[in-house]
């Protein structure tokens, strides 16, 4: 029986028995010689490969970790919506837990969990709001239902389902079709400017490759980390 074939087992799945060897994907190790010249070049290369991998459902999904009061961390998945030489952009509610924590402490960590291709990318850096014009340009591309949802959801607050549905109905009444829905003032983009970008490539035998771009303040350098 296959290790992961839990459906036919009477026992609950045992995570201690789950083991997967990393063949390396697409079969190449990550070396200082093959690494892109910049973190952005390397990210774009791996992102394109993640997008091309049918096993990865949402290649632009990333976990963003923030630090709140009394150094309590929190983390959640968001979607990457832009990447360029400034850094990584995602959109959210500026009154949400994550955005409130970023307001108190801009230090964040991002993780792209591309397990299906034995890779992960970890970014450390600081988050800041994007220009209002950038938020408005992106908001205009969202489906109308998502636009109304951004108005209706007091993200991270305790609510009832009935309150949410009433807020959505209010938003729909406030912005009747065919008028465009404007971006809510409490919603927008956050840009994560990286200070470190680590590329992790799983390899057989657990001696995985970890190459990290790090901004020393004078220059970006590349370091290899022990797996
Ligand atoms: C695949 C996936 C993508 C998501 N994308 C976003 C996103 O782009 N922006 C966002 O605010 N929340 C997104 N969410 C919801 C967040 O994970 C989270 O529940 C929400 O932002 C509230 O987080 P907070 O209370 O920690 O601020 C996504 C969730 C999943 C599972």
């Amino acid at each position: 029986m296959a290790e992961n074939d839990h459906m036919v087992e009477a026992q609950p799945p045992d995570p201690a028995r789950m083991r997967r060897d990393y063949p390396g994907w697409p079969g190449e190790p990550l070396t200082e010689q093959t690494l892109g010249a910049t973190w952005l070049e390397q990210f774009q290369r791996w992102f394109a490969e993640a997008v091309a991998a049918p096993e990865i459902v949402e290649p632009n999904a990333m976990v963003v970790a923030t630090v709140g009061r009394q150094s309590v961390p929190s983390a959640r998945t968001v979607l990457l919506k832009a990447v360029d030489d400034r850094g990584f952009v995602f959109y959210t509610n500026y009154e949400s837990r994550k955005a409130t924590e970023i307001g108190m402490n801009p230090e964040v960590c991002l993780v792209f969990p591309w397990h299906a291709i034995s890779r992960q990318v970890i970014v450390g850096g600081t988050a800041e709001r994007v220009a209002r014009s950038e938020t408005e340009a992106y908001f205009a591309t969202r489906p109308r239902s998502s636009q109304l949802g951004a108005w209706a959801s007091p993200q991270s607050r305790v609510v009832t389902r009935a309150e949410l549905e009433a807020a959505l109905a209010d938003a729909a009444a406030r912005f009747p079709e065919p008028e465009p829905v404007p971006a809510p003032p409490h919603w927008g983009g956050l840009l994560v400017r990286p200070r470190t970008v680590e590329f992790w490539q799983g390899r057989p035998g657990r001696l995985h490759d970890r190459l990290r771009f790090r901004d020393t303040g004078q220059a970006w350098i590349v370091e290899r980390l022990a797996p």
Side-chain angles (χ1 to χ4, degrees), residues 16 44 47 100 125 186 193:
Q44 295 285 31
F47 184 53
T100 304
H186 59 264
R193 290 189 189 274

Side-chain angles (χ1 to χ4, degrees), residues 58 61-62 66 74-81 90-93 95-99 101 142 155-157 187:
E58 280 186 297
M62 59 187 188
T66 54
S74 64
R76 75 291 289 156
T77 307
V78 297
L79 295 177
L80 177 74
K81 288 294 166 179
F90 65 94
Y91 288 87
T92 195
N93 186 313
E95 293 167 2
S96 63
R97 177 175 182 175
K98 73 183 86 53
E101 293 186 352
R142 287 170 46 107
Q155 195 175 59
S156 315
R157 305 266 171 85
W187 189 95

Side-chain angles (χ1 to χ4, degrees), residues 2-20:
E3 287 248 317
N4 285 337
D5 200 0
H6 308 295
M7 300 309 289
V8 295
E9 280 176 300
Q11 300 294 322
D14 177 6
R17 288 178 50 218
M18 296 175 190
R19 199 157 281 118
R20 179 173 169 260

Side-chain angles (χ1 to χ4, degrees), residues 51-72:
V51 169
E55 315 92 299
I56 301 184
V57 180
E58 280 186 297
N60 61 329
M62 59 187 188
V63 174
V64 53
T66 54
V67 181
R69 273 186 225 288
Q70 271 132 24
S71 302
V72 175

Side-chain angles (χ1 to χ4, degrees), residues 1-168:
M1 181 170 53
E3 287 248 317
N4 285 337
D5 200 0
H6 308 295
M7 300 309 289
V8 295
E9 280 176 300
Q11 300 294 322
D14 177 6
R17 288 178 50 218
M18 296 175 190
R19 199 157 281 118
R20 179 173 169 260
D21 210 11
Y22 297 108
W25 190 91
E28 294 293 325
L30 182 65
T31 68
E32 288 78 351
Q33 289 69 42
T34 55
L35 192 73
T38 63
W39 69 262
L40 181 58
E41 191 180 317
Q42 182 60 35
F43 183 84
Q44 295 285 31
R45 196 182 290 170
W46 272 20
F47 184 53
E49 289 171 357
V51 169
E55 315 92 299
I56 301 184
V57 180
E58 280 186 297
N60 61 329
M62 59 187 188
V63 174
V64 53
T66 54
V67 181
R69 273 186 225 288
Q70 271 132 24
S71 302
V72 175
S74 64
R76 75 291 289 156
T77 307
V78 297
L79 295 177
L80 177 74
K81 288 294 166 179
V83 58
D84 55 39
D85 53 12
R86 296 172 305 160
F88 302 81
V89 176
F90 65 94
Y91 288 87
T92 195
N93 186 313
Y94 285 152
E95 293 167 2
S96 63
R97 177 175 182 175
K98 73 183 86 53
T100 304
E101 293 186 352
I102 286 167
M104 292 188 293
N105 178 354
E107 296 290 332
V108 301
C109 181
L110 306 175
V111 180
F112 291 86
W114 295 328
H115 309 158
I117 57 172
S118 307
R119 288 176 176 173
Q120 72 179 341
V121 176
I122 304 177
V123 178
T126 53
E128 61 191 66
R129 293 184 182 193
V130 302
R132 201 62 202 157
S133 54
E134 187 170 344
T135 287
E136 283 167 359
Y138 170 67
F139 191 80
T141 69
R142 287 170 46 107
R144 195 175 182 89
S145 56
S146 308
Q147 293 175 330
L148 293 174
W151 277 98
S153 171
Q155 195 175 59
S156 315
R157 305 266 171 85
V158 175
V159 286
T160 65
R161 187 81 210 172
E163 284 165 347
L164 278 180
E165 282 166 13
L168 186 62

